[in-house]
Amino acid sequence: EGITLRYPGEWPERVPLRLVLESGPALGAVMDGHVVRVTVPPGEQLRMRMSSSLRRDALDLLGLWRSLPKAMRDLPVLQEAARDGWFWWLTPAASVRLVHAVPRPVEVPRPTLLLPLRAPGDTSVAIVGALDLHGPSTERIDMEAAWTQWVDDVTKPGPERVSGTAAAFGTTVEYDEDLIVLAAAEQQLPLPDGSVLRLHAAVHQTGDTQHRMIAYSPRATTRYREYFSPQVTPDVDSLSVVGPSRTIDVPSAARPAKVIVRDVLPLFRWDEQTEPAQPFAVRRMRRSGVRIYLERPWYVTGDGELVGVIVAPSSDALLHGTVSQWGADPVWWQQGPAVRSSLPLVDLLQFTGLDDRREAGRPVGPVASHRLIDWKDQPRAWVLGYEPEFSPARGLWFVDIALDPGTAFWPFVQLAIARYQPSSLPGLHLGPVTMCDFVQLAPERAATLSRTDDTHARVQVTGAVGYPRGVAPPRMMGAGSVVAEVAASRTMRARLERYDAAVGTDLGWVTVAQHDLPILGADGTIVSWSGEIELPEAIAPRTPGTSGAWRVTLEEWEYLRADDGAGGKGGREPRIIYADHLPL
């Protein structure tokens, strides 16, 4: 569509037209006398052709027009086009481009959707998605990447948190593009309406297969760099704008390596709190667990690498040599593990992911189901991820696994573990399974110290016990026989101690009184010992736990069968299996 603008005045005093380019919010034009004002928004261009037009009665004055056959000259369509200056051979046109140049793009590029696309073994990642931008003022998009990650270099004393940046990829932008589509390769995609959609190649060469959380920021560069002096735009920031970053979880593209176990040790997990509903009492519990020391390096699959504990998917599924298991100590009658493959690692809320609170020795996420690809038929198992820690003293990684043995007494535990990367491509989450050595869990004990008055303190200890083989099983014994067997197989001792400040070390604790706590009662194999201790002087009642001068030390002695001449108690050799102290 064209428009005819007539020169003001009459021949031979025609007034020339003056073309003025102005800035405005939208494309527009107005003729004001002999001035034609054209409004172009910032960053946009207007391409047009200018040619002479003719009066309706002046067309036959042109010899070129008269050279046409009369049949063509009589066509109204050709007459109108010729008078309006559309024929280049009759009234040649001049191309004009109006440019409203800007030093930086008008709009900040905005990611609408960014998704990682990766195949197994890839050392690159393709970013699939789109960017919203201002095509008329944007000539190029460059994607900048930034991330931080843990690196465990075995030649250095320990792991380091390092930062990385990179120019991920770049692509040119067409003038009429206001939304560019990112894909794995450059491509022209035909659309049903006959138009063509350009796909822009967006591939970040990371150089490895590791998992990272990468923040991508699009930088848009102006289309009008040549219009501005270097003194006006001295650096890249004066020619470009950076859009909001979008953090993408780039999954690991390689299977984790086998984890190497150095040591497996029983773990004591201490927990102290006030006794519920009793402000003059404190409770201190010794819970069970396992600590596993691992060889360096770690983070071979990138950030977020965990130790995966492999457990059977059901209580009746025991995949020999592939999953964790536990069993009872045959020396004792006890209410031990009923199913070898059902380890008490998490409760129902943690299992389902409803409870995501971080606790020492607990998994960092809900249970996940994965295939064990090292075994025939690739059976599925449950995987619980634990976050390892680094020990500078030993130069090793370690992970604590909390266990709740319940009524089991001295159970044996064998954990199946693997390097585990939750953010991985399908089938690449788990490394080869390593079966740890058997380790025996120490009995759990809960001790309560309370004040009954200003001259007395009461102590109570509760926990699971077992009965030596050779006597009747617990289910066949009466309550009196149970108490008698517990008393014969172990002693819970409480000592009241006072601190001699003149000594100045732990050797300054002196025993003032000693008591063997009687058994308060038994519920199956859960037994409680309780006793009251008389204080040699009046001490104002308060919540125990802060005194530096008085404390109660607890010891549990267990008697194992031995030769009659070996000492101990009636042919049984003593060993200490529990010790703790609670300040008054």
Side-chain angles (χ1 to χ4, degrees), residues 4 114 149 184 225 229 282 293 301 362 383 421 460-461 473 479 519 531 576:
T4 300
L114 297 180
Q149 67 179 118
R225 181 183 313 191
S229 169
V282 65
Y293 282 96
T301 61
R362 292 294 185 180
V383 181
Q421 177 55 262
Q460 180 173 321
V461 183
I519 296 176
I576 188 168

mmCIF file of all heavy atoms in Angstrom, residues 4 114 149 184 225 229 282 293 301 362 383 421 460-461 473 479 519 531 576:
data_model
loop_
_atom_site.group_PDB
_atom_site.id
_atom_site.type_symbol
_atom_site.label_atom_id
_atom_site.label_comp_id
_atom_site.label_asym_id
_atom_site.label_seq_id
_atom_site.Cartn_x
_atom_site.Cartn_y
_atom_site.Cartn_z
ATOM 1 N N THR A 4 0.275 8.966 -1.717
ATOM 2 C CA THR A 4 0.759 10.052 -2.563
ATOM 3 C C THR A 4 0.730 11.352 -1.775
ATOM 4 O O THR A 4 -0.320 11.749 -1.244
ATOM 5 C CB THR A 4 -0.104 10.186 -3.820
ATOM 6 O OG1 THR A 4 -0.053 8.968 -4.568
ATOM 7 C CG2 THR A 4 0.390 11.328 -4.689
ATOM 8 N N LEU A 114 13.373 -23.225 29.748
ATOM 9 C CA LEU A 114 14.696 -23.780 29.478
ATOM 10 C C LEU A 114 14.760 -25.176 30.074
ATOM 11 O O LEU A 114 14.575 -25.343 31.282
ATOM 12 C CB LEU A 114 15.805 -22.902 30.064
ATOM 13 C CG LEU A 114 15.957 -21.481 29.519
ATOM 14 C CD1 LEU A 114 17.111 -20.770 30.219
ATOM 15 C CD2 LEU A 114 16.178 -21.486 28.013
ATOM 16 N N GLN A 149 30.619 -25.761 42.300
ATOM 17 C CA GLN A 149 30.565 -27.190 42.512
ATOM 18 C C GLN A 149 31.716 -27.618 43.419
ATOM 19 O O GLN A 149 32.725 -26.922 43.567
ATOM 20 C CB GLN A 149 30.659 -27.943 41.187
ATOM 21 C CG GLN A 149 31.997 -27.809 40.476
ATOM 22 C CD GLN A 149 32.039 -28.582 39.187
ATOM 23 O OE1 GLN A 149 32.208 -28.001 38.120
ATOM 24 N NE2 GLN A 149 31.907 -29.885 39.273
ATOM 25 N N ALA A 184 18.481 -28.391 19.789
ATOM 26 C CA ALA A 184 19.782 -29.051 19.784
ATOM 27 C C ALA A 184 20.581 -28.746 18.528
ATOM 28 O O ALA A 184 21.802 -28.920 18.517
ATOM 29 C CB ALA A 184 19.607 -30.565 19.929
ATOM 30 N N ARG A 225 25.341 -1.362 16.565
ATOM 31 C CA ARG A 225 26.644 -1.035 17.121
ATOM 32 C C ARG A 225 27.387 -0.001 16.269
ATOM 33 O O ARG A 225 28.057 0.899 16.800
ATOM 34 C CB ARG A 225 27.472 -2.307 17.244
ATOM 35 C CG ARG A 225 28.853 -2.102 17.827
ATOM 36 C CD ARG A 225 29.639 -3.383 17.858
ATOM 37 N NE ARG A 225 28.849 -4.481 18.408
ATOM 38 C CZ ARG A 225 29.366 -5.658 18.735
ATOM 39 N NH1 ARG A 225 30.640 -5.891 18.571
ATOM 40 N NH2 ARG A 225 28.582 -6.616 19.216
ATOM 41 N N SER A 229 29.758 5.827 18.426
ATOM 42 C CA SER A 229 31.208 5.954 18.571
ATOM 43 C C SER A 229 31.704 5.083 19.712
ATOM 44 O O SER A 229 31.008 4.910 20.722
ATOM 45 C CB SER A 229 31.574 7.417 18.843
ATOM 46 O OG SER A 229 32.916 7.538 19.233
ATOM 47 N N VAL A 282 16.130 -34.679 83.306
ATOM 48 C CA VAL A 282 16.768 -34.636 82.013
ATOM 49 C C VAL A 282 16.926 -36.063 81.507
ATOM 50 O O VAL A 282 17.147 -36.994 82.288
ATOM 51 C CB VAL A 282 18.140 -33.924 82.088
ATOM 52 C CG1 VAL A 282 19.123 -34.710 82.938
ATOM 53 C CG2 VAL A 282 18.719 -33.680 80.698
ATOM 54 N N TYR A 293 33.619 -45.371 56.558
ATOM 55 C CA TYR A 293 34.673 -44.535 55.988
ATOM 56 C C TYR A 293 34.922 -44.959 54.542
ATOM 57 O O TYR A 293 35.015 -46.156 54.243
ATOM 58 C CB TYR A 293 35.954 -44.655 56.807
ATOM 59 C CG TYR A 293 35.926 -43.850 58.083
ATOM 60 C CD1 TYR A 293 35.572 -44.436 59.296
ATOM 61 C CD2 TYR A 293 36.246 -42.495 58.078
ATOM 62 C CE1 TYR A 293 35.547 -43.696 60.476
ATOM 63 C CE2 TYR A 293 36.212 -41.750 59.241
ATOM 64 C CZ TYR A 293 35.868 -42.347 60.444
ATOM 65 O OH TYR A 293 35.837 -41.608 61.599
ATOM 66 N N THR A 301 30.574 -37.777 39.993
ATOM 67 C CA THR A 301 29.449 -37.528 39.088
ATOM 68 C C THR A 301 28.907 -36.113 39.235
ATOM 69 O O THR A 301 27.880 -35.784 38.652
ATOM 70 C CB THR A 301 28.307 -38.523 39.353
ATOM 71 O OG1 THR A 301 27.838 -38.363 40.713
ATOM 72 C CG2 THR A 301 28.768 -39.952 39.137
ATOM 73 N N ARG A 362 20.328 -39.502 59.034
ATOM 74 C CA ARG A 362 19.096 -39.855 58.329
ATOM 75 C C ARG A 362 19.236 -39.562 56.833
ATOM 76 O O ARG A 362 20.049 -38.740 56.421
ATOM 77 C CB ARG A 362 17.920 -39.053 58.902
ATOM 78 C CG ARG A 362 17.562 -39.443 60.330
ATOM 79 C CD ARG A 362 17.024 -40.854 60.397
ATOM 80 N NE ARG A 362 16.571 -41.202 61.735
ATOM 81 C CZ ARG A 362 16.062 -42.374 62.056
ATOM 82 N NH1 ARG A 362 15.951 -43.327 61.137
ATOM 83 N NH2 ARG A 362 15.662 -42.627 63.277
ATOM 84 N N VAL A 383 16.441 -47.413 47.339
ATOM 85 C CA VAL A 383 17.695 -46.714 47.598
ATOM 86 C C VAL A 383 17.415 -45.523 48.502
ATOM 87 O O VAL A 383 16.520 -44.717 48.231
ATOM 88 C CB VAL A 383 18.353 -46.236 46.286
ATOM 89 C CG1 VAL A 383 19.678 -45.537 46.587
ATOM 90 C CG2 VAL A 383 18.568 -47.407 45.343
ATOM 91 N N GLN A 421 23.799 -40.920 42.482
ATOM 92 C CA GLN A 421 23.584 -39.562 41.981
ATOM 93 C C GLN A 421 22.099 -39.416 41.635
ATOM 94 O O GLN A 421 21.628 -39.904 40.601
ATOM 95 C CB GLN A 421 24.436 -39.307 40.744
ATOM 96 C CG GLN A 421 24.229 -37.953 40.093
ATOM 97 C CD GLN A 421 24.424 -36.795 41.053
ATOM 98 O OE1 GLN A 421 23.445 -36.268 41.580
ATOM 99 N NE2 GLN A 421 25.662 -36.411 41.298
ATOM 100 N N GLN A 460 17.071 -43.563 86.249
ATOM 101 C CA GLN A 460 16.385 -44.688 85.632
ATOM 102 C C GLN A 460 16.973 -44.926 84.244
ATOM 103 O O GLN A 460 17.223 -43.985 83.497
ATOM 104 C CB GLN A 460 14.882 -44.419 85.517
ATOM 105 C CG GLN A 460 14.088 -45.568 84.884
ATOM 106 C CD GLN A 460 12.590 -45.335 84.948
ATOM 107 O OE1 GLN A 460 12.069 -44.836 85.926
ATOM 108 N NE2 GLN A 460 11.899 -45.699 83.873
ATOM 109 N N VAL A 461 17.206 -46.203 83.917
ATOM 110 C CA VAL A 461 17.768 -46.586 82.627
ATOM 111 C C VAL A 461 16.857 -47.627 82.000
ATOM 112 O O VAL A 461 16.442 -48.583 82.674
ATOM 113 C CB VAL A 461 19.201 -47.142 82.768
ATOM 114 C CG1 VAL A 461 19.775 -47.465 81.391
ATOM 115 C CG2 VAL A 461 20.094 -46.155 83.509
ATOM 116 N N PRO A 473 13.510 -69.907 76.395
ATOM 117 C CA PRO A 473 13.240 -68.693 75.639
ATOM 118 C C PRO A 473 12.351 -67.736 76.434
ATOM 119 O O PRO A 473 11.573 -68.169 77.297
ATOM 120 C CB PRO A 473 12.535 -69.198 74.379
ATOM 121 C CG PRO A 473 12.908 -70.635 74.269
ATOM 122 C CD PRO A 473 13.078 -71.120 75.683
ATOM 123 N N ALA A 479 7.244 -63.610 84.437
ATOM 124 C CA ALA A 479 7.851 -62.303 84.700
ATOM 125 C C ALA A 479 8.958 -62.400 85.732
ATOM 126 O O ALA A 479 10.007 -61.774 85.611
ATOM 127 C CB ALA A 479 6.768 -61.327 85.169
ATOM 128 N N ILE A 519 16.084 -53.818 89.248
ATOM 129 C CA ILE A 519 15.212 -53.821 88.073
ATOM 130 C C ILE A 519 13.828 -53.361 88.482
ATOM 131 O O ILE A 519 13.209 -53.923 89.383
ATOM 132 C CB ILE A 519 15.164 -55.226 87.449
ATOM 133 C CG1 ILE A 519 16.549 -55.616 86.935
ATOM 134 C CG2 ILE A 519 14.148 -55.264 86.320
ATOM 135 C CD1 ILE A 519 16.612 -57.019 86.399
ATOM 136 N N GLY A 531 16.619 -46.379 90.631
ATOM 137 C CA GLY A 531 17.037 -46.270 92.023
ATOM 138 C C GLY A 531 17.171 -44.825 92.443
ATOM 139 O O GLY A 531 17.359 -43.934 91.615
ATOM 140 N N ILE A 576 32.045 -54.270 79.998
ATOM 141 C CA ILE A 576 31.194 -53.082 80.080
ATOM 142 C C ILE A 576 30.631 -52.780 78.699
ATOM 143 O O ILE A 576 31.348 -52.766 77.695
ATOM 144 C CB ILE A 576 31.988 -51.882 80.642
ATOM 145 C CG1 ILE A 576 31.040 -50.710 80.919
ATOM 146 C CG2 ILE A 576 33.133 -51.485 79.725
ATOM 147 C CD1 ILE A 576 31.679 -49.593 81.729
#
